[in-house]
Amino acid sequence: MKKIMDSPDSKSEFKLGRKLKTGARAVVTLTSFLGPALSVMGIVILYPIVEGARLSLFSYKLTRPSDVGFSWFDNYNYMISDAVFWEAMQNTFVFTGCVVGISCLVGLIMALLLQRPLIIFKFLRGIVLIPWVIPGIVIGYLFLYMFDFEIGIINNMLVQSGLIRKALPWLADRELAMVAIIIAHVWNQTPFFLLMFTAGLMSIPEEALEAAYLEGSSSWQEFRYVVFAYLKKIMVIATLLMVIRNFNNFPVIYAMTGGGPSFSTTTAVIYIYRVAFERFDIGYASAIGTIWVLILLTLSIIYTRFLKDEF
Amino acid sequence: MVHRKISVAASLLIAAILTIFIIWTFFPIYWMFSTSIKFALEVFNISPELFPKNPTLEHYYALDKGSIKVSVFLKNSIITGLGTVILAMFLALFAGYALSRFRFRMKKFISLGILTTQMFPLVVLLIPLYLLYKRLNLLNSYIGLILSFTSFTLPFSIWMLKGFIDSIPIELEESAIIDGCSKLQILFHIVTPLIVPGLVATMVFAFLDAWNNLLFPLMLVTRPSMKTLPPGMVLAFAGEFKHNWGGMMATSVIVSLPVVVVFVTMQKYLVQGLTAGAVKG
Amino acid sequence: MKSINKFLLLMIMTVLLVGNAWGAGEKEGASSGPVVLDFVNWATAEEQTRIRVEGLIAKFEAENPGIKINSITSGFSDILNQLTVMQNAGDAPDIAQAAGVNVSALYMMGALEPVDKLFSQELQDDFFDSMYDLLVYDGKHYGVPWGGASFGFQYNRDLMIQAGLDPNNPPKTFVEFQNAVRKARKALPESVVIMGLDTSMRVFGFEHNYPFLLAADADPFLQKPLRFDTPAIKAYLEWLREAARGNYTLANKKLGEFRPIAAQGRLLFMFDQQHIKGTVKSLNPALTDEEFNRLWGVVTMPANAAGIQQTTSADHQLVVFKDSPHKKEAAKFVEFLVNSDYAIEKYIKVMGMTPTKSGIKRFPEYLTDPILSGFINDVIPSVVPVPYGQDFSELALIFMSGVQDAMTGNKSIDEITSDMQAKVERIR
């Protein structure tokens, strides 16, 4: 069902037909359609968000049950001077930026290369999507094993092939650990971008490409002016989704480094987990979480604005 | 499709890049599999063997023994996965249709709101959520897990289905309205059959989200007999005494296999589905 | 109401009702019938111990037909989280297996029942003092030892000879120990790991380092208020940095990760618990009892400058919860687990862990097996309590992050310790 020569943004709405008037009946229909979905999300997600914001204003440590009390913005003040918090923020941005940037780029390149209608490519395309499907916890343990200093296959192969002289302490070195978790996540997420861009490439109308060809533009020009224009929107949406997902990514990092060594691979979510379940400081953990939501919200708004401006 | 001629050099380069990419994609999967058939102490070799010389299925046999049966986790994962797909599809279909077809003032706000629910690190709220579930009697229950998985996957599902529905010309529905069909009939008899690839794609993603989810079943299910595969793996292998890499990898294979199979067989629909709709919406 | 809405409403209600009824099948049985005890533990999660503990449960249930045990399995690293969530949601179990800081954390949450009134004086006297007194808070005991697991000093005799050290004369003081490690590193091949030290970012990592801190006279808890930037601690971190850079040990590893290395005969000095023989043998089935006894010796941890040898324990313990409605039955089960002939024979002894005093008399192998008797005679008397307290977890993690910085980064030790101290002062 392809639309013919459609610009990527036409809206297909209509007023509620002739049968329904706007007003009470329309509202009722609307509620019944949207209601169920919204209530499910409301119970499981919105309620805890609100509860979290509320808890962040309390001093609430499980190990001091007699000390629980309303404490205004104490937790937030504490956060500002918490060096580990800022380190976690920095780690999260660096980590997310690298993972999304690299996956997006590699996904794009591979999607372009896999365009040609060779049968083997169709088969390959299916198979290279597999890393996306594997559960995070499995990826975490798998790469933990592969990156092991002594018994990991990666060190083994690097040394044997002569690329490095001594084994690298992947997960024990601050910078290398970050590289290792980035590699694991890129491995996992590139297929998603590959899939999205492939779909996008297929939806570019023939005519646009033919026109470019007939005009005598080079491959590069065709890419830059025709293909890219169509892919931009997908890129924005896909990267937004992945940025949000990586900001909150838990299983892989937890299994591979637990946030270590020291706090060098601790992202915000890992830090929240540690504060909540190792320091039992629920109030503070909620405060970090609330700030986190606000940051992501701001980012999303900026993104979607950007989307509007582009079109 | 327009195809330009490319030079031999370029072809070779492309082939080389693709080969590297394929090896890069496959090697970890191969490694997972080959580790799962090595003997327990072999996996601690300083020079791990690329091709296990003495393969063994001992880890696979061990999966179904003792009080922690991987088969139980598998059953739970399947039930909650399918339940999530069904529930999420219904809810997302209705919601996606509403967001696509109806015009109302709160639309932007609701869309943004839906996106927001994806952003929150739920780690923080496990205790209030646990309390809430306890009050609603949802702990250690399939329905509790299904609800949580559904809420996790709804934003993406709604977005995808909205995109697909967007791509269906209104004219089809308008003639149905003139004929006197109700919204419900339009939805089920006209719109749905036209977005089948998209529906399949969305169902696959929903299943994935449910299957791979770690945090919810980890915290909202305390009885091991109700746990799904991801927390089951943590339970079975991140123990005090040792890292049982062989067993862990065998379980990993079992955990990954169903979703891989589903995904690869449905792959055609995914690409087709995404092409037809969401990408444009 | 329009028919659509009715339809939807009906659907939602049906789903919720059906699901609820379905899911509710997992809840516990009705109030009449046998007493059911919820027993949260990690023993049934570990391959080595699972079947044995299940056997214990079955035997107890057979001997006590009115009581059923519901074993709730949890991973060792997760168990405190799980118990915390359960306790705070009002869903606490009756009994739990705990270790180390778990007991103090649970005590501070107000979750535990003091055991002094639950057990006979006879039983309480039967516990080794150094083990039972680890669990005293506010003058009362809040747990019961279930298998001692103290940190001893094990050495591989063959590798010692190869390194030019005397296997009959293992290092006795901390300084001797350091010199032995340096000497061994020069003599032994790269593939041999000289010492197995837990430097993971966990509270357990700190517990494992604590005996060494004591031996190095670097105990941070000696001064009040506590300080992490003392010269002794700086010296200790320098030692760890030397160990990481000189490849004496593997950085950031958990204790358990050294066990396979020991099983392969590639570890010189090990600092593990009583059950080490069982664990190593299960990893390397070709290793016989005699061979193990010949190869490995056990002594106490190196002494500090004053000649005092001290170590800590990460004993497995059993705790009873304050909210349990069946404390009497729970106490009965606990007593069975820690002191019955059956439990000692089938589980505690097999694991090589230390039972009660009378347990040792009833099972003389404890005194004839060189490894076990080494622990009983040398190690256990040297056990000192770890100063668990309100902020212990936080302090432990701050310390371990400093350890990791020292071992894997380039910051100066002075900078690291002042960072640590700054964090300590910010604890609220």
Side-chain angles (χ1 to χ4, degrees):
Chain A
M1 284 278 331
K2 285 170 78 111
K3 282 208 216 169
I4 304 176
M5 285 310 291
D6 197 33
S7 70
D9 193 46
S10 67
K11 300 251 181 286
S12 40
E13 295 162 16
F14 60 103
K15 277 236 166 48
L16 294 169
R18 289 182 314 175
K19 284 188 67 184
L20 295 171
K21 305 180 179 59
T22 51
R25 289 180 86 178
V27 170
V28 156
T29 314
L30 188 59
T31 319
S32 59
F33 270 69
L34 274 181
L38 291 182
S39 16
V40 169
M41 291 193 287
I43 296 177
V44 182
I45 313 238
L46 273 178
Y47 159 75
I49 291 184
V50 169
E51 179 72 355
R54 188 183 77 92
L55 284 175
S56 72
L57 299 173
F58 281 72
S59 152
Y60 182 13
K61 276 182 101 153
L62 289 176
T63 47
R64 296 190 210 217
S66 47
D67 261 0
V68 178
F70 191 67
S71 66
W72 288 103
F73 291 100
D74 267 2
N75 288 320
Y76 293 96
N77 279 331
Y78 190 69
M79 199 191 304
I80 296 179
S81 51
D82 183 356
V84 180
F85 168 71
W86 292 109
E87 188 175 350
M89 289 282 284
Q90 187 187 323
N91 288 339
T92 313
F93 276 90
V94 167
F95 164 74
T96 304
C98 290
V99 171
V100 176
I102 300 177
S103 314
C104 186
L105 193 60
V106 174
L108 180 59
I109 296 176
M110 289 302 146
L112 288 169
L113 293 182
L114 281 173
Q115 269 184 85
R116 291 161 190 269
L118 296 179
I119 304 209
I120 187 167
F121 279 7
K122 284 219 172 62
F123 171 71
L124 282 178
R125 205 187 288 132
I127 308 279
V128 296
L129 294 178
I130 291 182
W132 172 244
V133 174
I134 298 188
I137 190 80
V138 169
I139 297 181
Y141 285 130
L142 178 61
F143 278 82
L144 175 65
Y145 182 50
M146 294 205 301
F147 276 114
D148 189 280
F149 178 64
E150 275 203 324
I151 59 178
I153 188 70
I154 293 184
N155 267 340
N156 203 260
M157 292 201 298
L158 287 176
V159 169
Q160 286 203 348
S161 67
L163 280 170
I164 57 176
R165 252 177 313 126
K166 264 185 61 159
L168 292 172
W170 287 100
L171 300 174
D173 175 278
R174 302 184 67 105
E175 273 91 45
L176 285 178
M178 182 59 99
V179 171
I181 60 171
I182 290 179
I183 291 179
H185 285 88
V186 166
W187 185 81
N188 173 229
Q189 293 176 10
T190 306
F192 175 74
F193 284 100
L194 179 60
L195 185 62
M196 298 293 268
F197 285 132
T198 304
L201 285 171
M202 283 196 189
S203 71
I204 299 179
E206 280 287 329
E207 296 77 359
L209 291 172
E210 269 180 24
Y213 184 63
L214 290 172
E215 277 177 33
S217 45
S218 69
S219 283
W220 171 249
Q221 282 170 323
E222 173 187 305
F223 172 72
R224 174 105 171 66
Y225 294 108
V226 180
V227 174
F228 194 62
Y230 276 90
L231 292 183
K232 236 198 255 190
K233 190 171 179 194
I234 305 175
M235 194 185 297
V236 171
I237 293 175
T239 48
L240 177 64
L241 283 174
M242 281 298 114
V243 163
I244 294 179
R245 191 193 169 105
N246 278 306
F247 264 48
N248 286 335
N249 202 311
F250 186 78
V252 181
I253 302 180
Y254 190 68
M256 278 179 83
T257 63
S262 191
F263 293 104
S264 54
T265 57
T266 299
T267 56
V269 196
I270 304 268
Y271 189 46
I272 294 175
Y273 181 82
R274 298 196 89 129
V275 169
F277 289 103
E278 281 167 10
R279 304 206 321 217
F280 297 113
D281 194 343
I282 305 294
Y284 187 44
S286 303
I288 303 179
T290 308
I291 291 289
W292 206 233
V293 177
L294 292 174
I295 293 179
L296 280 171
L297 205 54
T298 316
L299 263 172
S300 311
I301 294 181
I302 297 178
Y303 244 88
T304 42
R305 272 280 160 79
F306 178 67
L307 220 173
K308 292 244 114 198
D309 288 344
E310 283 295 307
F311 299 100
Chain B
M1 184 128 197
V2 168
H3 287 298
R4 299 162 181 267
K5 289 230 177 69
I6 50 174
S7 63
V8 174
S11 291
L12 284 177
L13 183 62
I14 292 179
I17 296 178
L18 284 175
T19 315
I20 296 178
F21 185 65
I22 291 173
I23 297 181
W24 147 272
T25 302
F26 268 106
F27 185 72
I29 301 173
Y30 167 72
W31 194 240
M32 172 167 68
F33 180 67
S34 89
T35 305
S36 73
I37 54 177
K38 285 184 184 166
F39 278 100
L41 202 59
E42 256 177 53
V43 302
F44 292 105
N45 263 340
I46 303 189
S47 320
E49 304 176 314
L50 271 180
F51 299 102
K53 292 198 191 60
N54 307 317
T56 169
L57 287 176
E58 68 172 6
H59 299 296
Y60 288 97
Y61 290 140
L63 286 180
D64 210 25
K65 301 217 180 85
S67 68
I68 308 193
K69 288 196 192 340
V70 175
S71 55
V72 170
F73 300 146
L74 190 63
K75 176 186 79 158
N76 294 334
S77 279
I78 293 178
I79 294 179
T80 51
L82 291 177
T84 305
V85 167
I86 296 173
L87 185 61
M89 277 313 98
F90 260 107
L91 299 182
L93 199 54
F94 278 98
Y97 187 74
L99 286 176
S100 171
R101 298 303 194 221
F102 300 175
R103 196 182 286 158
F104 50 96
R105 262 199 299 251
M106 300 265 282
K107 192 154 156 182
K108 278 265 164 50
F109 178 73
I110 291 190
S111 300
L112 197 58
I114 292 178
L115 197 59
T116 314
T117 59
Q118 283 238 289
M119 296 180 206
F120 199 74
L122 290 144
V123 175
V124 187
L125 296 162
L126 292 170
I127 293 185
L129 196 59
Y130 185 87
L131 263 168
L132 180 68
Y133 263 49
K134 188 170 163 59
R135 256 182 262 140
L136 296 177
N137 237 346
L138 291 172
L139 282 178
N140 289 316
S141 69
Y142 287 132
I143 196 71
L145 279 180
I146 291 175
L147 273 179
S148 65
F149 294 155
T150 303
S151 63
F152 183 72
T153 193
L154 266 180
F156 188 65
S157 305
I158 295 178
W159 174 72
M160 275 186 86
L161 284 180
K162 169 180 178 301
F164 297 133
I165 298 179
D166 277 346
S167 72
I168 305 212
I170 322 289
E171 295 77 38
L172 295 169
E173 293 176 55
E174 279 176 354
S175 49
I177 293 181
I178 295 172
D179 286 344
C181 291
S182 73
K183 281 269 166 309
L184 208 60
Q185 284 173 310
I186 295 179
L187 181 57
F188 283 118
H189 293 287
I190 300 181
V191 176
T192 306
L194 291 175
I195 58 168
V196 164
L199 211 54
V200 171
T202 313
M203 286 166 85
V204 170
F205 276 111
F207 185 75
L208 260 180
D209 272 347
W211 188 269
N212 291 350
N213 198 305
L214 174 68
L215 229 40
F216 279 123
L218 189 64
M219 280 304 175
L220 299 174
V221 172
T222 50
R223 321 238 141 164
S225 59
M226 290 295 285
K227 284 197 191 259
T228 58
L229 279 167
M233 258 192 83
V234 175
L235 181 61
F237 294 113
E240 182 190 12
F241 286 111
K242 59 185 173 181
H243 273 289
N244 179 359
W245 292 117
M248 206 190 286
M249 290 302 131
T251 314
S252 302
V253 170
I254 300 290
V255 173
S256 315
L257 213 51
V259 279
V260 167
V261 164
V262 164
F263 205 75
V264 171
T265 48
M266 297 293 176
Q267 179 249 139
K268 184 173 61 146
Y269 285 106
L270 287 175
V271 178
Q272 205 180 328
L274 282 174
T275 310
V279 155
K280 290 193 171 152
Chain C
M1 232 201 244
K2 284 198 81 168
S3 58
I4 313 170
N5 302 338
K6 274 197 220 144
F7 166 69
L8 280 172
L9 203 57
L10 196 59
M11 211 172 63
I12 297 172
M13 279 175 58
T14 319
V15 164
L16 281 175
L17 275 171
V18 166
N20 213 7
W22 188 12
E26 288 300 322
K27 285 210 320 251
E28 300 195 10
S31 47
S32 63
V35 166
V36 181
L37 296 177
D38 282 334
F39 173 35
V40 176
N41 66 85
W42 71 80
T44 48
E46 312 262 344
E47 220 175 290
Q48 258 190 306
T49 50
R50 189 199 316 144
I51 298 182
R52 298 188 183 282
V53 171
E54 284 171 353
L56 297 185
I57 293 177
K59 175 86 167 151
F60 179 80
E61 285 178 342
E63 287 178 359
N64 294 274
I67 310 181
K68 284 245 155 309
I69 309 292
N70 179 20
S71 164
I72 301 179
T73 313
S74 183
F76 177 67
S77 359
D78 282 325
I79 198 156
L80 186 54
N81 295 358
Q82 169 136 357
L83 289 171
T84 307
V85 174
M86 287 170 87
Q87 170 68 20
N88 279 280
D91 196 26
D94 298 281
I95 318 165
Q97 185 184 15
V101 70
N102 298 350
V103 178
S104 78
L106 288 169
Y107 162 71
M108 285 191 287
M109 281 182 230
L112 301 181
E113 176 78 10
V115 300
D116 308 77
K117 298 270 168 42
L118 285 177
F119 296 103
S120 65
Q121 192 57 40
E122 197 188 323
L123 180 62
Q124 298 186 54
D125 287 338
D126 206 1
F127 295 127
F128 280 95
D129 286 342
S130 55
M131 283 163 60
Y132 193 39
D133 288 342
L134 290 178
L135 302 160
V136 172
Y137 299 102
D138 234 355
K140 305 197 194 73
H141 292 92
Y142 281 90
V144 156
W146 187 33
S150 342
F151 297 118
F153 174 18
Q154 299 95 32
Y155 50 94
N156 182 319
R157 292 195 172 97
D158 283 350
L159 287 176
M160 279 191 83
I161 298 176
Q162 221 182 316
L165 300 164
D166 180 2
N168 295 321
N169 209 2
K172 290 215 177 40
T173 67
F174 189 64
V175 175
E176 270 178 44
F177 170 68
Q178 288 175 298
N179 290 332
V181 166
R182 292 175 181 127
K183 182 169 177 187
R185 177 75 281 167
K186 291 206 188 73
L188 292 171
E190 276 290 312
S191 61
V192 172
V193 179
I194 305 296
M195 59 179 194
L197 180 64
D198 185 319
T199 48
S200 64
M201 184 77 167
R202 308 177 297 169
V203 174
F204 186 82
F206 181 77
E207 288 168 327
H208 197 233
N209 271 275
Y210 194 61
F212 291 95
L213 284 170
L214 293 173
D217 288 302
D219 182 1
F221 293 93
L222 272 181
Q223 39 235 300
K224 303 203 183 311
L226 169 146
R227 290 201 75 85
F228 274 159
D229 51 0
T230 62
I233 292 187
K234 288 187 192 172
Y236 184 71
L237 289 178
E238 292 279 5
W239 162 242
L240 287 181
R241 173 163 281 184
E242 183 192 331
R245 294 188 180 165
N247 213 10
Y248 306 160
T249 185
L250 299 171
N252 288 7
K253 291 284 186 187
K254 300 184 194 162
L255 184 61
E257 298 184 81
F258 290 102
R259 291 166 185 160
I261 303 179
Q264 292 174 330
R266 289 196 292 126
L267 183 63
L268 174 63
F269 293 138
M270 187 160 56
F271 302 95
D272 215 323
Q273 303 153 318
Q274 280 90 321
H275 51 68
I276 188 63
K277 175 153 59 164
T279 315
V280 167
K281 277 173 63 182
S282 75
L283 285 169
N284 185 358
L287 198 59
T288 62
D289 223 38
E290 295 80 23
E291 178 61 18
F292 186 92
N293 293 341
R294 181 199 72 76
L295 193 54
W296 290 95
V298 173
V299 283
T300 9
M301 286 286 207
N304 62 6
I308 306 177
Q309 290 170 304
Q310 295 162 311
T311 189
T312 53
S313 276
D315 294 340
H316 295 182
Q317 292 133 348
L318 291 169
V319 293
V320 177
F321 282 76
K322 198 187 288 189
D323 290 342
S324 164
H326 309 296
K327 296 197 187 66
K328 267 204 359 247
E329 290 82 355
K332 207 160 175 211
F333 182 52
V334 167
E335 186 160 355
F336 172 80
L337 285 176
V338 305
N339 207 17
S340 69
D341 281 350
Y342 191 81
I344 298 182
E345 184 186 346
K346 295 284 181 199
Y347 177 65
I348 303 183
K349 179 168 73 85
V350 166
M351 293 301 299
M353 294 196 285
T354 314
T356 55
K357 292 188 243 193
S358 70
I360 293 190
K361 292 204 192 75
R362 285 177 271 148
F363 290 90
E365 299 93 299
Y366 273 106
L367 298 170
T368 54
D369 180 298
I371 309 286
L372 292 178
S373 59
F375 269 97
I376 293 177
N377 295 330
D378 296 332
V379 177
I380 294 193
S382 69
V383 169
V384 298
V386 177
Y388 295 123
Q390 203 133 49
D391 299 316
F392 184 76
S393 298
E394 267 187 84
L395 291 168
L397 292 172
I398 293 175
F399 189 81
M400 291 316 290
S401 77
V403 163
Q404 291 198 338
D405 272 334
M407 291 179 87
T408 64
N410 286 313
K411 280 202 283 203
S412 77
I413 300 287
D414 284 332
E415 207 186 317
I416 295 176
T417 49
S418 63
D419 263 346
M420 282 161 60
Q421 184 58 28
K423 289 193 183 119
V424 167
E425 279 158 16
R426 291 189 66 237
I427 294 182
R428 353 172 260 168

